[in-house]
């Protein structure tokens, strides 16, 4: 068992203020696999003070972008050498299939570090522009102390969407991992020390909701970067709005995959299985609404059912597993509750249902519903599990209407034999990240959502902008 009895604050491993601990429980075995201190408000105060000291008086914000990029590059090199260790740890603590952990849980955070390390080599702190009476200098400065609050589903991915650009910008960070997945953050702290990140620039305190809200509302924090549920995002947004504190929110989704009549179903299902079922369906970008024309509706339902049935359900550490357990008992209960709701709403279970595949572990049966309308709760609310709803549409305009008829706007895709026509469809859907015959997130392109899916953008140069303040200096002579 991985047991930690210290917090990472001010570049040191320090004793927590309290005695409470967080047990990390394997979703596969339901056994405790790790333990860390449960951070308190006093611990958050100490972490913010360390970050404040590092930002207000330390060397990190006063280094050039290129100098910071060099340090980030060292961290990336360590990450690259040990990414397999990170992937296995995430699979152990939250049940992500090891194939997905090796594909995304570790490599994508590494890619972000590498991208921002490269961007920093040429990023200019100051830009000169002509003014009415003399030259204008536009200067980019770090926003300050950042509270990064991250969820459990892709813990290193969402951590690095915040930590990598914040480091390059020159900020100091207090990272609050989710109670379900604190172990990967401890590994990151070890690598940060080895890379030479100055004391106080990165601080890590795992904690629950109460201590997290204390961190978010702390007057020493200049910006909050949050990924999580829309309900929690509204609360954090309200706190930051009251304090006029900078905030970025990457929230929920209920994304639609539009399958046009000319799509090659066999080829599409291979990619759609990742887009809709990645990480056991526990992904905010998962395309869980499958939109099919009435002309091919039965054919699409059969193809989706076969795709889901082809995914082996089992031990997430087994490379043959396609779908593993959900992160916690409460998540198992939540997803099964939505399966019941779908059945009560009159949708037809084509695959799956309420029979659990295993007696031990927080597994649910991957489920496909047919006969779904976009007004049903299973089509409107984020389930966060392997539950897909196949929704019929009349024509292409109706498909776009249904895709846009959502409180969310985070992701989506269209599947067609005509990629150029797919681009026309993509331009009509109000969502932040879209794919034509694929779905992926690119480190050099912005990621974020419309509507209730959040505020701001992460990744790319746009992600760096969220951690910078812009100062205009005019002068005569």
């Amino acid at each position: 068992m991985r047991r930690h009895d210290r917090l990472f604050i001010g570049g040191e491993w320090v004793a927590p203020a309290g005695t409470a601990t967080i047990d990390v429980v394997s979703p596969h075995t339901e056994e405790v696999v790790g333990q860390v201190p449960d951070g308190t408000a006093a611990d958050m105060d100490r972490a913010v003070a360390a970050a404040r000291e590092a930002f207000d008086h330390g060397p990190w914000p006063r280094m050039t972008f290129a100098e910071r990029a060099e340090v980030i590059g060292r961290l990336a090199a360590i990450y690259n050498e040990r990414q397999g260790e990170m992937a296995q740890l995430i699979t152990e603590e939250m049940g992500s299939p090891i194939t997905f952990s090796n594909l995304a849980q570790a490599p994508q955070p590494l890619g972000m570090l590498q991208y921002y390390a490269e961007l920093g080599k040429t990023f200019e702190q100051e830009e000169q522009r002509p003014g009415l009476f003399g030259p204008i200098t536009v200067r980019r400065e770090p926003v300050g102390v950042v509270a990064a609050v991250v969820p459990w589903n892709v813990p290193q991915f969402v951590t690095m969407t915040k930590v990598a650009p914040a480091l390059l910008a020159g900020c100091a960070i207090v990272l609050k991992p989710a109670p379900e997945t604190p172990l990967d953050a401890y590994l990151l702290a070890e690598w940060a020390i080895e890379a030479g990140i100055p004391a106080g620039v990165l601080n890590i305190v795992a904690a629950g909701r109460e201590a997290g809200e204390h961190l978010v509302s702390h007057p020493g924090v200049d910006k909050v970067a949050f990924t999580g549920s829309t309900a929690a995002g509204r609360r954090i947004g309200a706190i930051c709005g009251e304090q006029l504190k900078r905030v970025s929110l990457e929230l929920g989704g209920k994304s639609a995959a539009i399958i046009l009549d000319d799509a090659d179903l066999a080829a599409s299902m291979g990619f759609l299985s990742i887009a809709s079922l990645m990480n056991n369906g526990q992904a905010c970008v998962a395309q869980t609404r499958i939109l099919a024309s009435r002309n091919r509706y039965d054919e699409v339902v059969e193809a989706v059912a076969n795709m889901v049935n082809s995914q082996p359900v089992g031990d997430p550490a087994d490379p043959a597993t396609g779908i593993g357990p959900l992160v916690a008992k409460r998540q198992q209960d939540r997803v099964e509750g939505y399966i019941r709701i779908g059945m009560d709403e009159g949708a037809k279970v084509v695959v799956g249902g309420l029979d659990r595949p295993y007696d031990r572990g927080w597994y649910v049966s991957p489920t496909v519903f047919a006969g779904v309308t976009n007004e049903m709760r299973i089509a409107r609310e984020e389930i966060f599990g392997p539950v897909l709803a196949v929704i019929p549409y009349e024509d292409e305009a109706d498909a776009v209407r249904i895709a846009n008829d959502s409180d969310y706007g985070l992701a989506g895709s269209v599947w067609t034999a005509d990629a150029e026509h797919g681009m026309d469809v993509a331009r009509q859907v109000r969502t932040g990240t879209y794919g034509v015959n694929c779905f992926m997130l690119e480190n050099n392109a912005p990621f974020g959502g419309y509507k209730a899916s959040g505020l701001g953008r992460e990744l790319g140069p746009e992600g760096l902008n969220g951690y910078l303040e812009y100062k205009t200096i005019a002068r005569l002579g």
Side-chain angles (χ1 to χ4, degrees):
M1 187 174 81
R2 303 171 189 265
R3 181 177 285 110
H4 301 276
D5 59 2
R6 294 288 187 269
L7 302 171
F8 185 60
I9 297 176
E12 299 177 342
W13 296 105
V14 302
T19 58
T21 58
I22 296 170
D23 285 340
V24 182
V25 182
S26 163
H28 173 59
T29 66
E30 300 184 37
E31 297 174 354
V32 176
V33 295
Q35 189 179 79
V36 303
D38 188 359
T40 66
D43 295 315
M44 292 301 182
D45 289 342
R46 186 174 178 181
V48 172
R52 194 79 259 167
E53 175 66 22
F55 183 77
D56 292 339
H57 306 291
W60 190 250
R62 292 152 189 87
M63 295 166 64
T64 66
F65 280 92
E67 289 170 337
R68 290 193 292 267
E70 183 178 352
V71 180
I72 295 170
R74 292 202 298 267
L75 178 58
I78 297 167
Y79 212 116
N80 184 47
E81 291 176 1
R82 299 178 64 182
Q83 61 177 311
E85 181 181 353
M86 181 65 80
Q88 290 175 356
L89 180 56
I90 292 173
T91 289
E92 182 180 9
E93 66 181 344
M94 62 76 56
S96 182
I98 190 61
T99 51
F100 184 75
S101 290
N102 284 325
L103 176 70
Q105 294 276 23
Q108 284 198 291
L110 167 61
M112 289 179 229
L113 285 170
Q114 292 170 331
Y115 170 77
Y116 284 109
E118 190 65 26
L119 180 64
K121 292 178 181 178
T122 57
F123 197 84
E124 297 292 337
Q125 183 158 16
E126 295 186 350
E127 173 190 343
Q128 305 302 320
R129 301 179 188 176
L132 289 175
F133 303 106
I136 301 294
T137 298
V138 177
R139 180 176 169 82
R140 302 171 180 90
E141 298 180 350
V143 71
V145 172
V146 174
V149 181
V150 303
W152 46 261
N153 61 324
V154 279
Q156 278 293 295
F157 175 88
V158 289
T159 290
M160 215 52 72
T161 60
K162 298 155 182 56
V163 167
L167 287 175
L168 180 58
C171 299
I173 305 149
V174 178
L175 171 65
K176 191 201 85 65
E180 295 83 0
T181 53
L183 301 178
D184 60 277
Y186 275 80
L187 189 56
L188 176 63
E190 294 174 9
W191 298 350
I193 294 171
E194 187 177 345
I197 293 177
V201 170
L202 178 63
N203 309 273
I204 300 175
V205 180
R209 183 172 301 176
E210 185 175 334
E213 183 160 327
H214 182 81
L215 171 64
V216 165
S217 59
H218 199 292
V221 169
D222 300 299
K223 173 187 167 73
V224 176
F226 172 75
T227 296
S229 72
T230 297
R234 292 183 194 279
R235 172 62 180 162
I236 289 171
I239 293 171
C240 293
E242 178 66 26
Q243 298 182 359
L244 295 179
K245 183 178 294 185
R246 277 66 177 150
V247 63
S248 56
L249 304 170
E250 195 273 285
L251 308 176
K254 192 68 180 179
S255 302
I258 300 174
I259 301 178
L260 298 184
D261 278 347
D262 65 351
D264 181 332
L265 285 186
S268 299
M269 289 303 118
F271 289 103
L272 189 60
S273 64
I274 299 174
S276 61
L277 295 173
M278 69 177 84
N279 203 32
N280 311 330
Q282 298 170 130
C284 54
V285 296
Q287 332 249 302
T288 55
R289 290 188 295 153
I290 314 298
L291 276 51
S293 79
R294 293 195 183 277
N295 296 330
R296 297 187 72 184
Y297 186 77
D298 291 342
E299 187 181 357
V300 171
V301 168
E302 182 180 7
V304 172
N306 290 338
M307 176 266 286
V308 172
N309 274 330
S310 72
Q311 302 294 312
V313 178
D315 183 351
D318 185 346
T321 293
I323 299 176
L326 301 181
V327 72
K329 179 66 168 64
R330 71 171 192 284
Q331 192 68 15
Q332 182 188 51
D333 292 342
R334 171 187 171 86
V335 173
E336 289 181 342
Y338 272 104
I339 294 173
R340 291 188 186 91
I341 288 169
M343 296 167 67
D344 292 343
E345 289 179 315
K348 177 186 176 183
V349 174
V350 181
V351 171
L354 292 172
D355 290 336
R356 294 177 178 174
Y358 299 100
D359 294 331
R360 185 184 68 169
W362 295 312
Y363 290 88
V364 299
S365 292
T367 299
V368 177
F369 280 107
V372 180
T373 69
N374 204 50
E375 290 69 40
M376 292 180 179
R377 287 182 63 188
I378 58 170
R380 304 203 69 83
E381 299 176 14
E382 188 174 37
I383 297 174
F384 228 61
V387 179
L388 307 182
V390 188
I391 303 171
Y393 65 82
E394 301 297 335
D395 54 24
E396 187 176 298
D398 190 41
V400 171
R401 179 193 65 80
I402 293 171
N404 285 331
D405 181 17
S406 174
D407 294 334
Y408 299 102
L410 188 60
S413 58
V414 61
W415 306 82
T416 174
D418 186 345
E420 284 303 315
H421 181 64
M423 288 294 295
D424 293 336
V425 174
R427 294 183 179 102
Q428 298 176 65
V429 180
R430 290 185 55 77
T431 193
T433 305
Y434 209 77
V436 178
N437 295 326
C438 66
F439 183 78
M440 61 188 70
L441 303 179
E442 297 283 1
N443 291 325
N444 64 350
F447 168 61
Y450 290 35
K451 299 182 278 188
S453 288
L455 300 172
R457 292 294 183 269
E458 297 179 317
L459 304 181
E462 293 82 1
L464 176 59
N465 286 339
Y467 296 90
L468 297 172
E469 294 279 18
Y470 283 77
K471 176 186 292 183
T472 298
I473 307 172
R475 72 179 189 269
L476 291 176

